[in-house]
Amino acid sequence: MAEAVALSYETYKAQMKDIAEKSVHIGVGGFASVDEDDFMALVKARKLPILVLEPVSYRHSDSKSEHIVEYMRCAFSVYLPSKPGKYDLNDAAIEQCRLIGRKVLTRLRKNTYGRVPADELPKFRHFLAGSVTGQPTQLVADGRVGFYYEFEIFYQVSLAYNDDDWTD
């Protein structure tokens, strides 16, 4: 099996920002990432839905060859402002965030299939729809409620030993 191009964090982040900005439910200015210094200021200033990119993690599985499968565990949340003590309104906002997040997942899945121009990296070519999990979330200090989603992208990476990588 040919080695798939690993998705870098920078590419993943740029693609998620593109998805958020193209969404009619989120739009331009509706993206923040927890690795940005001012991400909380962006979240606080936003009255419309905002997609917040969460940190990624990795796991591996042994394929008993010179390649292993690397899984990139990705996550994002969609938030809306909440109203203290207004449980019905907050429940409705959480549901709205869940549905917007689901639309983001449908775009991820769409980007997994189909042709991609030769000068463009495949977007989420190995998105695992069956790995999606989600749950309600909130930013208590900032009066936000939302929905948090996790999913995995996978690819094969080489474990072939190379003498040039070592000084001994």
Side-chain angles (χ1 to χ4, degrees):
M1 176 184 273
E3 184 171 342
V5 176
L7 182 66
S8 72
Y9 177 74
E10 292 81 17
T11 300
Y12 162 68
K13 183 177 173 180
Q15 290 175 5
M16 290 299 288
K17 181 177 183 182
D18 184 61
I19 288 171
E21 290 182 346
K22 287 180 178 174
S23 167
V24 299
H25 304 284
I26 301 170
V28 175
F31 175 84
S33 178
V34 296
D35 65 348
E36 297 168 358
D37 291 335
D38 62 344
F39 100 92
M40 282 309 297
L42 294 169
V43 172
K44 280 183 176 183
R46 183 83 174 175
K47 301 297 180 219
L48 300 171
I50 186 165
L51 186 146
V52 176
L53 199 62
E54 306 285 348
V56 299
S57 62
Y58 298 87
R59 70 179 179 91
H60 299 89
S61 110
D62 189 2
S63 66
K64 309 236 185 282
S65 71
E66 286 192 348
H67 291 84
I68 60 169
V69 177
E70 185 170 83
Y71 296 86
M72 182 177 176
R73 188 77 177 156
C74 306
F76 68 90
S77 298
V78 177
Y79 290 105
L80 275 168
S82 64
K83 310 267 191 254
K86 303 287 185 182
Y87 299 109
D88 289 345
L89 292 175
N90 292 340
D91 287 347
I94 291 169
E95 180 64 8
Q96 183 181 355
C97 291
R98 185 180 71 83
L99 295 174
I100 291 169
R102 189 186 303 156
K103 291 175 188 300
V104 169
L105 293 170
T106 65
R107 183 61 183 250
L108 290 172
R109 188 169 194 162
K110 177 189 179 293
N111 288 355
T112 300
Y113 304 104
R115 295 202 171 279
V116 176
D119 62 339
E120 189 176 317
L121 283 175
K123 294 182 173 93
F124 304 106
R125 192 171 90 197
H126 301 288
F127 167 65
L128 292 171
S131 70
V132 175
T133 60
Q135 64 187 23
T137 188
Q138 61 183 341
L139 295 172
V140 177
D142 297 300
R144 301 275 164 172
V145 294
F147 209 85
Y148 171 86
Y149 280 102
E150 286 186 342
F151 60 93
E152 288 183 327
I153 298 168
F154 77 98
Y155 38 83
Q156 283 194 340
V157 293
S158 175
L159 279 184
Y161 182 83
N162 184 344
D163 284 329
D164 295 337
D165 293 333
W166 305 96
T167 59
D168 60 350

